[in-house]
Amino acid sequence: KQPSAFPPMPPLLMRPNRPPPSPWVESNLPHLPPPPAAVLDLACGRGRHALLLLDMGYKVTALDRDREALDVLSKRAPPEGKDRLSVVCADIEANGLPSELRSQQFAVVLVVNYLHRPLLKDLQGLLESGGLLIYESWAKGNEAFAAPRDPCVLAERTLVPDELRELVLPWAEVIGFSDGFLEEYEGHDCVKQLLCARHRSAMVENAVVASGAAALDGQDALRALLVGFDSSADGNGASSAFLGVGAFGKAWLHGRGIAPSLPFGTPELLALLRDYAPHERRDAHLERMRNLAAEGGMLLDDAGSLDEGSVLNDFRLWSASLVKRLPALSGDGLRTETLSDESELRRFFESAALASTADVEARGDGWTIVANQLQGAAPCLGDLQ
């Protein structure tokens, strides 16, 4: 969803013989700063993204080692955008980044279908404060769809799980990240990592919680506390000691699920499902939240307690359903059956008497359990997943 802080996207002029942008790049265009901000397109090839950004009014620096590809880009550049295009022919794998780029910073750095690991450490320095990084490349598992002949190429050109996200966590806010199989992505099945991240502003990076939190809004103060930008102690910042968990803040901030552990897992979820009747609890919870909003906030007592023996009462199961894949019929695609009626779900769970993961595998009748909004469950569903 496009944030309201960004202006509506202008209609793009579709030019003949112009290849479309990658879906990941296109989906993140609303996060770009207004033109004519400076953009660096690394390993640009013939420049399908450089041309798109020129059309949108940006100042584009396009780098590639293929002189012929850069010549094609220069010829395709729209007349009104030629003065905003700079092409750099350089082999960064042999010689590193050109000196003229090392002295510049960009509002946007774009890398699509390219990986040269020594370059990764330079990405932070290429971005100005608040700058946007959009990165997309092949990930582990893609060899099943496009295996290179040389096994060394596979290791050098394939991202390992979570590599891009772990790269930027110390210095950027992750706006979007994906790592896995993509069906018919640009016409082909593949495995990719997709990242969109924003370089943190100098205000937040230099924040000292003890003296500067008052100058920050609540989210920035929390971020400064959890992530810990002071690297003078051990290189990991204050977060290395927070709650005794290494990198607690970085992981928490980006949804990695590290939080104070609560006793909730597969057995507790199945216990809730055996007594499945969420309608009344859902209505009661909505009414409670309306009352809290009318009163101007939540009281401490409203958060509920986690005393031993009362955990199940503190977890609210918003809804659940069962989904099963059916055998394909001739000429048909994926077929599924879904069970979502509360009374039918309750009868199934009562009769199946599921109490553990092994029970689900043995007596689950092939159903996938979809549990929605387990409030308060936090990080303890690893066994369930």
Side-chain angles (χ1 to χ4, degrees):
K1 183 179 180 182
Q2 181 171 309
S4 59
F6 294 97
M9 287 294 298
L12 299 180
L13 178 62
M14 298 303 296
R15 299 179 184 272
N17 303 318
R18 181 74 61 79
S22 114
W24 181 246
V25 172
E26 187 174 19
S27 69
N28 283 290
L29 291 179
H31 296 298
L32 268 60
V39 179
L40 173 62
D41 187 358
L42 283 168
C44 65
R46 295 188 173 192
R48 59 170 173 160
H49 297 114
L51 293 169
L52 169 67
L53 294 164
L54 286 173
D55 287 343
M56 296 174 66
Y58 289 94
K59 181 180 178 181
V60 178
T61 298
L63 180 147
D64 203 278
R65 66 182 178 185
D66 187 337
R67 168 56 67 184
E68 293 184 3
L70 292 175
D71 289 343
V72 171
L73 166 59
S74 297
K75 292 177 182 178
R76 287 180 173 178
E80 66 276 13
K82 288 186 179 295
D83 61 340
R84 289 183 279 106
L85 173 64
S86 299
V87 295
V88 179
C89 186
D91 188 345
I92 57 178
E93 296 185 17
N95 306 311
L97 280 174
S99 57
E100 63 266 31
L101 290 187
R102 290 187 178 276
S103 61
Q104 297 183 58
Q105 288 188 317
F106 298 86
V108 181
V109 172
L110 179 67
V111 188
V112 176
N113 295 340
Y114 179 71
L115 175 62
H116 176 54
R117 283 193 171 83
L119 170 69
L120 297 179
K121 66 181 186 337
D122 295 322
L123 293 175
Q124 180 182 3
L126 289 170
L127 284 167
E128 63 185 34
S129 179
L132 194 72
L133 172 65
I134 300 176
Y135 204 121
E136 167 185 334
S137 197
W138 316 111
K140 183 176 176 60
N142 191 62
E143 62 272 15
F145 304 100
R149 296 177 181 176
D150 185 349
C152 294
V153 173
L154 180 63
E156 294 171 0
R157 302 294 185 184
T158 303
L159 291 159
V160 300
D162 247 10
E163 184 171 358
L164 288 181
R165 178 164 58 179
E166 295 296 335
L167 168 75
V168 303
L169 277 179
W171 51 267
E173 301 289 349
V174 175
I175 297 172
F177 177 76
S178 174
D179 184 358
F181 170 72
L182 300 172
E183 184 176 4
E184 287 295 314
Y185 187 86
E186 297 198 86
H188 303 281
D189 291 350
C190 60
V191 178
K192 278 192 166 187
Q193 279 185 38
L194 313 171
L195 174 81
C196 179
R198 190 178 302 282
H199 194 297
R200 290 194 187 93
S201 67
M203 178 189 75
V204 177
E205 287 188 5
N206 296 327
V208 178
V209 175
S211 60
L216 304 173
D217 63 27
Q219 184 66 24
D220 283 341
L222 178 63
R223 182 180 298 114
L225 170 66
L226 291 178
V227 179
F229 298 103
D230 180 10
S231 59
S232 59
D234 57 9
N236 291 322
S239 62
S240 62
F242 192 71
L243 290 191
V245 180
F248 170 89
K250 295 175 186 177
W252 180 89
L253 185 64
H254 295 283
R256 295 293 299 280
I258 299 176
S261 183
L262 301 177
F264 193 83
T266 306
E268 287 78 13
L269 173 62
L270 293 173
L272 280 178
L273 292 170
R274 286 197 301 273
D275 187 29
Y276 183 69
H279 183 77
E280 293 182 3
R281 283 189 177 184
R282 193 162 57 232
D283 289 348
H285 176 66
L286 288 172
E287 181 61 27
R288 173 171 162 270
M289 296 306 293
R290 282 191 289 267
N291 293 337
L292 288 170
E295 294 166 4
M298 180 179 289
L299 302 175
L300 184 61
D301 291 343
D302 292 320
S305 65
L306 287 177
D307 296 334
E308 186 174 356
S310 68
V311 172
L312 288 182
N313 292 328
D314 294 319
F315 289 92
R316 301 181 185 89
L317 182 62
W318 197 256
S319 66
S321 60
L322 296 175
V323 181
K324 180 191 297 186
R325 175 175 289 188
L326 301 177
L329 299 177
S330 177
D332 287 347
L334 179 66
R335 299 173 61 242
T336 60
E337 178 183 356
T338 301
L339 190 65
S340 57
D341 180 78
E342 288 189 12
S343 60
E344 293 181 2
L345 285 169
R346 189 162 52 249
R347 283 195 296 271
F348 170 80
F349 286 113
E350 288 175 351
S351 62
L354 306 178
S356 67
T357 303
D359 291 344
V360 175
E361 294 174 351
R363 300 193 299 277
D365 196 24
W367 291 105
T368 294
I369 302 172
V370 182
N372 299 317
Q373 198 163 345
L374 284 163
Q375 294 179 311
C380 311
L381 300 181
D383 173 42
L384 177 67
Q385 293 172 355

